[in-house]
Amino acid sequence: MKFDYYMNPFAEWIGWYPKEYSREERVLVNKLDFLILTFACLSTFACNLDVNAIYNAYESGLETDLGLTGNRLSYINAVYWAATTAFQVPSQLLLMKIPAHYYIPICEIMWGCFTLGTAFAQNYNQLIIMRFFVGLTSTPCWIGNVHVINTWYRKRELGKRNAVYYNTYPLGSMFSGYLQTACINLDGTGGLAGWRWLFIMCTVITIPISFCGFIFYPNIPSDIHSRFLTPAEKELARVRLTNEGFAEAKPLTFATFKRACLAWQTWVFTILANLFWQTPYPSTTPYLLWLGVEYPNDDAFVNNMSTVSYAISIISAMFFAFYSDWRQKRWDSMVFAGFVVLVGNIILLKWDVSNAAKYYAFISIGFCNGPINLIIAWWAETLAYDLEARSISIGVINGGYCILALVLPLCAWQTKDAPRYFAGYIFAVTISVLELLMIPLPLYLERRDRRLGKYGVEAIESVTDVGLEEIAAEIGENGSIDYDLEKKGGEDVFVNVKSV
């Protein structure tokens, strides 16, 4: 019997393709994974690599060469976040007008060029300017790719795909550490310090990736630009999303802004997501700077050990993604993560503990970076019925993150307080408690809306006699999505959407 990759039992067992999917739908999903996830993951990997290189460079000579004394690293960080914060919602509006396969790659080329400029900065002021433009031009990367990913997949597919996408963040951070270790060996080559070679290598990686977007990225289902999808597959992509309750794009109007502003998802998830995104912060820069204090004469060890918390978050992200897709629930994984990160932050607040306990705290907090990403899948599912409002909503949510990333290093996580960060750990413990207390709110609102039938497009009466199985079979036979309604008894058997 000939092996069929798309129908293999393992893919069904892990839930990558639900068992009831026809072969044609599995082929489509496999193409979407390649076309969407490949570029989205690579571009975000490059972005995170470029953004985080500043911290590894700081520990490897940048601090001394450019005189980054006191809180100057925090100020550089603040300039980056100020730029990206200001451009969050405008970037999403541009994405609604400019196809994603043009907009995101063009921005990637620009931030790659400014990353290269960072390599040749001669003083603090030049470094500030470069980081400002890196922040501005890299803004569309995360929110733009999140928007595209969450417009193509069914709800049972979202958790795993968001987890795969999320893993590009820790991978980028890990690779930055390894790359800096390698660049130490280039120190003095061409008259350049090793940390300068780090930014040059980041640019060499970033620019070629952008061209993948021009070639492969398909934009969004309502405006597909892809030579790799057949007309029948494009139609199947739209039909299966409509059947799942996801709306197609509509013209952007003032009413769109009003809907986004009035949607509880915008504000509840802005608060909840940013609580969950900030509680694991100690596993990033504070962990790296603590290692730098403990091992001041071993840059290679510091750069390599700083990647452990990222590595474990990759494992946890995939485990909880599969688990939550199987359970069709996101909240229980987030409750678990909330308790683990609370314990870790309490240990670090006490501080007067063994190094083994500190390692446990930093690594366990890094572990919680995995499941917290499920909040994006949860948000996308609850706002599935309004694509435009969802696009603005993610800009608001990520804008909140950028504001906190701008403010907190200047308040709670000042570089001069490293590695103790007493104020930072008080803040981390406080929000760790708040996030656990807040989880029931979106759970209640989501269940209330379902009970009241407030999900507009989700109120699909039926796909009566013809479901996705038959649609896919028809595509397989005829290579076309057109139906002969006479053959089906003359009834209108296609999707009938009821306004609510």
Side-chain angles (χ1 to χ4, degrees), residues 306-366:
S306 68
T307 68
V308 174
S309 62
Y310 296 117
I312 198 168
S313 74
I314 294 172
I315 298 171
S316 68
M318 295 309 300
F319 172 80
F320 284 104
F322 280 92
Y323 170 77
S324 67
D325 274 358
W326 170 67
R327 285 265 296 161
Q328 283 293 285
K329 293 181 176 66
R330 315 295 181 188
W331 65 269
D332 50 351
S333 299
M334 295 175 62
V335 168
F336 173 79
F339 276 110
V340 173
V341 82
L342 174 61
V343 172
N345 280 322
I346 289 174
I347 292 173
L348 294 175
L349 174 60
K350 189 175 186 305
W351 195 254
D352 187 19
V353 296
S354 66
N355 276 1
K358 289 176 183 174
Y359 271 117
Y360 167 78
F362 284 122
I363 301 306
S364 65
I365 292 173

Side-chain angles (χ1 to χ4, degrees), residues 128-415:
I128 284 280
I129 294 171
M130 290 299 106
R131 295 301 289 178
F132 174 85
F133 284 106
V134 168
L136 190 71
T137 53
S138 66
T139 299
C141 182
W142 188 82
I143 55 172
N145 284 319
V146 162
H147 174 69
V148 172
I149 290 170
N150 285 279
T151 59
W152 278 97
Y153 291 102
R154 298 174 70 176
K155 295 176 183 178
R156 283 175 292 179
E157 303 160 0
L158 279 176
K160 291 182 281 291
R161 272 71 184 183
N162 274 294
V164 169
Y165 177 63
Y166 158 78
N167 281 340
T168 58
Y169 272 87
L171 281 172
S173 299
M174 289 171 61
F175 193 73
S176 178
Y178 301 142
L179 189 60
Q180 180 59 62
T181 300
C183 287
I184 290 174
N185 298 323
L186 294 175
D187 193 36
T189 303
L192 298 176
W195 66 264
R196 295 186 187 274
W197 277 108
L198 173 62
F199 290 108
I200 293 172
M201 296 306 296
C202 286
T203 303
V204 170
I205 293 170
T206 298
I207 300 296
I209 289 174
S210 64
F211 291 97
C212 295
F214 292 119
I215 299 169
F216 297 111
Y217 224 31
N219 201 29
I220 58 177
S222 58
D223 184 26
I224 301 174
H225 295 264
S226 178
R227 71 190 72 179
F228 301 100
L229 296 174
T230 67
E233 287 171 336
K234 293 176 182 179
E235 189 62 28
L236 176 58
R238 297 187 186 101
V239 169
R240 73 193 206 105
L241 291 171
T242 303
N243 191 45
E244 192 80 359
F246 287 89
E248 290 195 359
K250 305 178 189 70
L252 199 62
T253 63
F254 176 76
T256 307
F257 289 92
K258 184 177 179 181
R259 292 197 310 272
C261 291
L262 295 179
W264 64 262
Q265 292 91 338
T266 300
W267 306 110
V268 170
F269 282 111
T270 293
I271 297 171
L272 185 62
N274 282 289
L275 288 174
F276 269 94
W277 289 340
Q278 291 301 325
T279 49
Y281 180 77
S283 67
T284 58
T285 305
Y287 175 46
L288 174 64
L289 297 183
W290 174 71
L291 288 172
V293 171
E294 292 294 317
Y295 306 96
N297 300 317
D298 196 341
D299 287 346
F301 178 80
V302 169
N303 283 314
N304 290 333
M305 275 301 295
S306 68
T307 68
V308 174
S309 62
Y310 296 117
I312 198 168
S313 74
I314 294 172
I315 298 171
S316 68
M318 295 309 300
F319 172 80
F320 284 104
F322 280 92
Y323 170 77
S324 67
D325 274 358
W326 170 67
R327 285 265 296 161
Q328 283 293 285
K329 293 181 176 66
R330 315 295 181 188
W331 65 269
D332 50 351
S333 299
M334 295 175 62
V335 168
F336 173 79
F339 276 110
V340 173
V341 82
L342 174 61
V343 172
N345 280 322
I346 289 174
I347 292 173
L348 294 175
L349 174 60
K350 189 175 186 305
W351 195 254
D352 187 19
V353 296
S354 66
N355 276 1
K358 289 176 183 174
Y359 271 117
Y360 167 78
F362 284 122
I363 301 306
S364 65
I365 292 173
F367 173 85
C368 294
N369 268 311
I372 64 172
N373 187 62
L374 295 173
I375 199 164
I376 292 299
W378 192 5
W379 156 82
E381 291 163 357
T382 61
L383 203 53
Y385 55 85
D386 195 331
L387 181 63
E388 292 71 32
R390 193 169 63 182
S391 176
I392 296 172
S393 178
I394 190 62
V396 174
I397 292 171
N398 202 53
Y401 171 78
C402 294
I403 290 172
L404 291 176
L406 165 64
V407 173
L408 292 179
L410 301 177
C411 303
W413 304 102
Q414 295 188 50
T415 308

Side-chain angles (χ1 to χ4, degrees), residues 84 87-88 91-92 95 103-104 107 111 135-146:
T84 197
F87 199 45
Q88 290 292 309
S91 175
Q92 285 300 91
L95 186 60
Y103 181 55
I104 297 176
C107 288
W111 92 61
L136 190 71
T137 53
S138 66
T139 299
C141 182
W142 188 82
I143 55 172
N145 284 319
V146 162

Side-chain angles (χ1 to χ4, degrees), residues 33 75-76 140 150 192 262 342 399 419 436 454:
D33 290 341
Y75 298 148
I76 292 169
N150 285 279
L192 298 176
L262 295 179
L342 174 61
L436 287 170
K454 290 187 176 180

